[in-house]
Amino acid sequence: GDSVTQMEGPVTLSEEAFLTINCTYTATGYPSLFWYVQYPGEGLQLLLKATKADDKGSNKGFEATYRKETTSFHLEKGSVQVSDSAVYFCALGSASKIIFGSGTRLSIRP
Amino acid sequence: EAGVVQSPRYKIIEKKQPVAFWCNPISGHNTLYWYRQNLGQGPELLIRYENEEAVDDSQLPKDRFSAERLKGVDSTLKIQPAELGDSAVYLCASSSGAGQRIDTQYFGPGTRLTVL
């Protein structure tokens, strides 16, 4: 069945470092892809999404490109801030369901 | 615009006791989801409603879990009796889409259940 595999955490970086969180997926058909973020004490929020191959989703300085050839949707940010500390979930949407990865905890040191 | 509201935020019960969670979705959203999120894992869908109809409950453990969405707005998820393994965060989400479309889901803050 459909599934999402993402980089295990925790990931700890210094402020202004470059961030990559890897995500790959297995799906039949053409799913939509998402990154959700969960800040401490808050609910899940949609960070960005892409609905077809080669689409790039972007928000708050984060980007991810839907790569069909490598079945990947890696999350990147050029310069992270302390406020980016959170848990990030990669997810795919297909046939009205969203399937989540297990999450990657990101901690940013000042 | 108010977001998805859930209550209670925290619940501690002893095993074999019943427990219920309540969710009020975003106004106008006809699709409502209940997820369970175990520690260190991503959310897993339990049940999806379109209006008052449960269109996907394949992952709901029906021997002890039940849900309802009367009038197609608020929803309640119940566990009776609770087991130790039910300790998790129960998330409610809503979206404006229906059918096979994947629309953005908006999540509530969740109810953290601890079963002792």
Side-chain angles (χ1 to χ4, degrees), chain A residues 34 36 38 41 43-44 46 49 89 93-98 100-102, chain B residues 9 35 37 40-43 48 56 99-102 104-105 107-109:
Chain A
F34 307 85
Y36 277 82
Q38 191 169 32
L44 279 163
L46 179 67
K49 69 177 182 181
F89 292 90
S94 178
S96 70
K97 276 187 185 178
I98 293 187
F100 289 86
S102 57
Chain B
R9 292 292 309 275
Y35 289 87
Q37 185 177 14
Q41 299 295 316
R48 176 171 65 96
D56 184 355
Q100 296 294 304
R101 257 173 51 186
I102 299 293
T104 299
Q105 294 183 20
F107 284 80

Side-chain angles (χ1 to χ4, degrees), chain A residues 77-91:
Chain A
K77 186 174 185 182
S79 176
V80 292
Q81 305 300 313
V82 172
S83 58
D84 294 326
S85 298
V87 182
Y88 292 81
F89 292 90
C90 185

Side-chain angles (χ1 to χ4, degrees), chain A residues 95-97, chain B residues 32 34 45-50 53-60 62:
Chain A
S96 70
K97 276 187 185 178
Chain B
L32 183 146
W34 282 104
L45 181 69
L46 291 173
I47 189 167
R48 176 171 65 96
Y49 282 93
E50 287 183 14
E53 183 182 358
V55 295
D56 184 355
D57 63 357
S58 56
Q59 301 303 309
L60 189 72
K62 299 182 184 62

